[in-house]
Amino acid sequence: MDFLKKLFGSGNETSGQKAKDRLRIVLIHDRTDISPQLLNNLREEIVHVLVKYMDIDEKKIEIDLDRDEKAVALVANIPVLRIKRNSIEMK
Amino acid sequence: MSARVIVTTSGKGGVGKTTSTANIAAALAKFGKKVVAIDADVGLRNLDVIMGLENRVVYNFIDVIEKTCKMSAALVKDKRVPGLYLLPAAQTRTKDAVNPEQMIALCEELKPDFDFIFLDCPAGIEGGFKNAAAGADEALVVTTPEIPAVRDADRIIGMLESMGKSPIRLIINRLRPNMVQDGDMLAKDDILDVLSIELIGVVPEDESVIRATNNGEPMTMTLDSPAAHAYLNIAERLLGHDVPLMDLESYAGRGFFSKIKKFFRGKKK
């Protein structure tokens, strides 16, 4: 059987199967792609929530989507200067 | 070196602009030219997928225009053919994120480093088309042998002429020689009579195109198929070589079924 596959040049994977796999990955990326504008809005809202609880170094915030072949993660690096104790104890 | 800047356009969608761009660009690179293919379809990019470079896209040409990154960072080098590059479009932006002046400046920045710059145009005649066409000197108009495609090509040719693009040359894509022989499809000369522009090539309908798209590998890189051959010829003609048109009728006549069909067709009136 294998030699038949080789003979007809299909290898292990047909081009249709390859198309299916490539399409899946492209869509994962497209659906999680984010415009600079949207990312900026997200960042502003996150900061807005965080400053209620802590002092943060707003200039050093890094927020981005981290992608590999299989998964996408929102990675945020937010330097914390100080927790606002009173805001926690207010509860 | 100062690149020739060529826009690939059609008006109608789905006639093979992106496939043509990828294959001609890859063929020219194979001939030793330095080529960049720019995906000018902002928001609906696909040249990256057709070329099989989608996993290597980091930045796009709007990042370059907005100075988020340098040109060299946005260019994706094709590792399979020396001298072939892709400049991707942004997927999360819209056509109004750029204007014609910025496209001209983008092409000017690339010109000294390349022999050919291709602009793969979006379908339509609005902003996206105008942006893509702005930077170009020459045009390739892609059509298929169908009324809607030829009609839209006619419209696009008029617009390209008024923009001063020259030369404007025609690619007839997805021609089925057997249907033309049967009188069931517009023939090359029918289309040329109507559009009266210079023909640069006829690409036959070919299943290899679908396989090449599945695999993300332009046909002119490896495969030996009728469509690959046609695109190689177009690339040669762009270089000024006198290459005769392929004998498509010889493709039409082959195969057992077509012989049977011919036999019966002879019996019909």
Side-chain angles (χ1 to χ4, degrees):
Chain A
M1 204 52 202
D2 269 0
F3 86 94
L4 273 180
K5 277 187 182 167
K6 267 182 197 153
L7 191 66
F8 293 109
S10 61
N12 304 322
E13 197 185 36
T14 59
S15 87
Q17 183 60 48
K18 202 166 172 188
K20 202 170 138 186
D21 295 341
R22 288 179 65 220
L23 177 63
R24 193 179 49 78
I25 292 167
V26 164
L27 290 183
I28 289 176
H29 283 232
D30 278 4
R31 287 171 180 168
T32 56
D33 208 357
I34 191 164
S35 71
Q37 180 67 50
L38 200 67
L39 194 64
N40 212 28
N41 293 353
L42 174 67
R43 179 196 164 104
E44 276 172 23
E45 285 197 46
I46 289 175
V47 168
H48 186 74
V49 172
L50 288 178
V51 293
K52 285 201 268 186
Y53 299 91
M54 55 190 77
D55 287 335
I56 54 174
D57 191 347
E58 287 192 37
K59 281 183 199 140
K60 290 187 183 158
I61 294 176
E62 287 170 23
I63 297 176
D64 210 350
L65 284 170
D66 207 29
R67 298 181 180 82
D68 64 28
E69 291 261 308
K70 290 200 184 80
V72 183
L74 179 71
V75 179
N77 191 350
I78 305 168
V80 180
L81 301 175
R82 186 169 45 133
I83 305 291
K84 290 179 179 170
R85 298 286 169 199
N86 54 348
S87 68
I88 296 172
E89 278 137 28
M90 254 165 20
K91 279 191 175 178
Chain B
M1 134 161 104
S2 181
R4 284 167 64 185
V5 189
I6 304 173
V7 61
T8 317
T9 184
S10 66
K12 189 178 177 301
V15 297
K17 285 179 294 296
T18 306
T19 301
S20 298
T21 305
N23 279 289
I24 297 167
L28 285 166
K30 247 179 124 173
F31 291 142
K33 299 293 167 188
K34 208 173 164 201
V35 186
V36 56
I38 304 176
D39 191 340
D41 200 345
V42 178
L44 288 172
R45 74 171 178 219
N46 267 327
L47 185 57
D48 56 337
V49 174
I50 299 275
M51 291 177 80
L53 297 173
E54 70 274 15
N55 291 332
R56 305 218 3 248
V57 173
V58 182
Y59 296 106
N60 56 66
F61 77 79
I62 295 188
D63 292 324
V64 178
I65 286 173
E66 292 177 346
K67 298 198 171 21
T68 310
C69 73
K70 284 189 175 167
M71 180 69 87
S72 55
L75 284 171
V76 181
K77 184 174 172 19
D78 195 315
K79 290 173 182 163
R80 298 161 295 188
V81 187
L84 182 60
Y85 293 80
L86 164 72
L87 184 55
Q91 184 72 337
T92 55
R93 306 294 293 273
T94 60
K95 264 94 186 158
D96 1 287
V98 273
N99 62 43
E101 289 70 36
Q102 289 170 321
M103 290 304 287
I104 294 169
L106 190 79
C107 292
E108 286 302 323
E109 188 182 342
L110 288 165
K111 266 187 186 178
D113 297 323
F114 288 91
D115 297 302
F116 284 91
I117 300 171
F118 284 91
L119 287 149
D120 184 32
C121 185
I125 52 173
E126 297 85 13
F129 161 73
K130 284 179 181 137
N131 283 335
D137 307 309
E138 306 174 32
L140 291 175
V141 175
V142 184
T143 192
T144 57
E146 291 150 317
I147 298 170
V150 177
R151 181 198 203 179
D152 290 2
D154 185 59
R155 191 100 161 76
I156 279 289
I157 290 164
M159 297 180 84
L160 291 165
E161 278 171 348
S162 69
M163 292 167 97
K165 309 297 169 197
S166 174
I168 303 167
R169 290 185 275 212
L170 185 73
I171 296 173
I172 301 176
N173 195 19
R174 309 192 65 170
L175 188 95
R176 295 172 181 230
N178 51 343
M179 286 191 77
V180 174
Q181 272 187 354
D182 290 351
D184 287 329
M185 181 174 264
L186 288 170
K188 174 196 78 180
D189 291 330
D190 300 334
I191 299 169
L192 288 178
D193 280 348
V194 178
L195 297 179
S196 56
I197 59 167
E198 184 191 337
L199 179 73
I200 195 162
V202 180
V203 183
E205 175 80 56
D206 186 344
E207 286 182 1
S208 324
V209 179
I210 294 172
R211 273 191 288 274
T213 305
N214 287 346
N215 290 324
E217 191 169 60
M219 291 170 290
T220 47
M221 278 184 189
T222 49
L223 286 174
D224 188 22
S225 63
H229 190 181
Y231 280 121
L232 274 176
N233 286 350
I234 292 173
E236 285 223 54
R237 293 184 196 112
L238 272 176
L239 292 170
H241 304 158
D242 191 12
V243 187
L245 279 174
M246 277 161 71
D247 177 19
L248 292 175
E249 276 68 35
S250 67
Y251 288 113
R254 65 181 183 177
F256 180 63
F257 286 106
S258 73
K259 282 195 182 114
I260 292 180
K261 254 168 75 184
K262 257 186 204 157
F263 175 78
F264 282 107
R265 202 174 341 118
K267 302 250 161 163
K268 283 191 299 194
K269 56 149 189 163

